[in-house]
Amino acid sequence: MSDGRLLYLNENSRKFAGFNKQSSPFIIIGIPMDITSSYRPGSRFAPNSIRDAAQYIEFYSIRTGIDMGDVGFNDVGDIILHPSSVEENLSRISGVINYFHESKKIVISIGGEHTISAGIIKGLQKEGLCVISFDAHLDLRDEYMGYKYDHACVMRRISEYGVKILEIGSRAISREELEYARRNGIAFFTPQQVRLLGVKEVARKIINSTQECKSLYISIDMDGLDPAYAPGVATPEPEGLDPTTLLDIINLIVDKRVVGFDIVEISPPYDISGITSVLGAKIIMETSASIYKAKLL
Ligand SMILES: [Mn+2]
């Protein structure tokens, strides 16, 4: 890899719906880090759970007219993680992501807890990068239970890297986070606002406020969705988005600047029916189709 360090990557025998297409513009990487989950751990099992669920969905995207079965994915396996050091893991994550980003691939990361996004953003090392995050929580705390690198603080760390952040689906917010968001110009949309404004108007506002961004990254915390649709998450929060709203917004806001996305916080042990992993697989398929179409145009 570029900096001469060991590439911490373990090829996995399980692939996303069996895809192993080297020529695909989409790289899939599992990042099963599950160290700071405060309520319902288990996200370390999500990459393989989503890979398995993907076997049973269709890969023609009716929303975009793109057949992702033809485009395919290159599932390169999982990042090898340290069992307890979050800082060491973020450094490994940033190294692996940087390696694939430098080879001009769109990197899809499957978590793991939301903390991994901090390592991913470091690895992208882009001037003018903006992050659009779907999440019930703002994740803007300075620290949580004494830890700075925690899933409740991830957007705060990313914001401190100088990255512009926009949040959608926000509804579990502390006063500290609200004040930080206001002081630092971090805009967010609650599910109630999305419902009142409508998908097109929300997308228009997002497009307007990301005009100056040179590249875009999308982070999808599955708890941004309503627990009725995504019950198997680490910290469920009522009154969330529905899947069609999430996918329609993504389809409207993506363009050529998108460099990657992640899907985090699914906890398979709490996903008794398996529907959260199926939805995770579907979101990966549809989001990739939207990005592929936007890059073609
Ligand atoms: Mn969250």
Side-chain angles (χ1 to χ4, degrees):
M1 70 183 288
S2 47
D3 66 357
R5 288 185 63 206
L6 174 68
L7 189 63
Y8 286 99
L9 197 63
N10 188 8
E11 200 182 324
N12 192 320
S13 58
R14 289 151 92 176
K15 303 288 179 197
F16 183 75
F19 283 112
N20 191 16
K21 190 175 176 185
Q22 310 272 320
S23 61
S24 171
F26 296 100
I27 297 275
I28 288 189
I29 300 178
I31 312 181
M33 188 172 94
D34 183 16
I35 296 172
T36 75
S37 295
S38 46
Y39 182 26
R40 312 199 306 179
S43 64
R44 67 184 62 192
F45 302 112
N48 279 348
S49 178
I50 293 170
R51 284 179 172 115
D52 292 346
Q55 304 274 11
Y56 306 100
I57 64 166
E58 292 287 350
F59 278 83
Y60 182 84
S61 159
I62 195 82
R63 179 178 270 100
T64 58
I66 300 291
D67 192 341
M68 286 308 295
D70 291 341
V71 178
F73 298 87
N74 184 14
D75 187 341
V76 296
D78 291 340
I79 295 185
I80 301 163
L81 298 163
H82 185 278
S84 60
S85 171
V86 176
E87 279 86 350
E88 168 62 22
N89 286 334
L90 292 180
S91 145
R92 293 182 186 187
I93 292 166
S94 93
V96 174
I97 295 295
N98 186 255
Y99 174 82
F100 288 106
H101 178 62
E102 296 274 293
S103 59
K104 308 282 175 240
K105 297 289 187 180
I106 297 157
V107 185
I108 304 167
S109 302
I110 309 180
E113 59 178 85
H114 209 166
T115 321
I116 64 167
S117 303
I120 296 167
I121 296 303
K122 266 239 158 107
L124 294 172
Q125 290 176 354
K126 301 285 273 190
E127 278 283 315
L129 176 71
C130 297
V131 173
I132 299 161
S133 179
F134 292 86
D135 196 337
H137 314 89
L138 288 181
D139 290 348
L140 288 174
R141 283 186 159 88
D142 185 34
E143 57 167 57
Y144 190 69
M145 306 289 182
Y147 289 98
K148 288 217 161 221
Y149 284 99
D150 182 281
H151 71 149
C153 313
V154 62
M155 287 301 144
R156 176 73 169 257
R157 297 289 88 79
I158 290 171
S159 150
E160 288 166 355
Y161 299 158
V163 171
K164 177 170 177 159
I165 295 169
L166 251 150
E167 306 211 49
I168 305 156
S170 327
R171 58 197 186 277
I173 297 169
S174 70
R175 195 185 302 174
E176 175 202 344
E177 293 175 299
L178 193 59
E179 281 162 10
Y180 183 85
R182 284 190 178 143
R183 265 201 319 276
N184 292 276
I186 297 172
F188 63 87
F189 298 90
T190 67
Q192 194 182 20
Q193 287 171 317
V194 173
R195 181 177 287 240
L196 289 171
L197 289 169
V199 163
K200 283 185 180 163
E201 179 61 11
V202 169
R204 196 188 61 76
K205 284 177 183 286
I206 295 166
I207 290 166
N208 270 347
S209 51
T210 53
Q211 265 173 350
E212 80 276 25
C213 307
K214 291 205 179 83
S215 45
L216 299 176
Y217 182 82
I218 299 169
S219 183
I220 304 163
D221 182 329
M222 284 293 282
D223 67 35
L225 292 157
D226 194 273
Y229 303 102
V233 295
T235 41
E237 180 72 32
E239 288 205 279
L241 299 168
D242 70 80
T244 306
T245 298
L246 174 113
L247 291 172
D248 283 346
I249 292 175
I250 289 175
N251 188 45
L252 289 169
I253 62 173
V254 295
D255 61 27
K256 288 187 168 119
R257 297 172 295 172
V258 176
V259 290
F261 68 93
D262 63 51
I263 182 151
V264 296
E265 296 276 327
I266 290 181
S267 182
Y270 293 92
D271 191 24
I272 306 304
S273 63
I275 56 172
T276 315
S277 285
V278 175
L279 182 54
K282 176 89 177 182
I283 290 171
I284 290 172
M285 189 283 278
E286 281 289 326
T287 302
S288 303
S290 293
I291 294 169
Y292 188 79
K293 187 173 186 187
K295 296 247 180 199
L296 275 182
L297 296 173

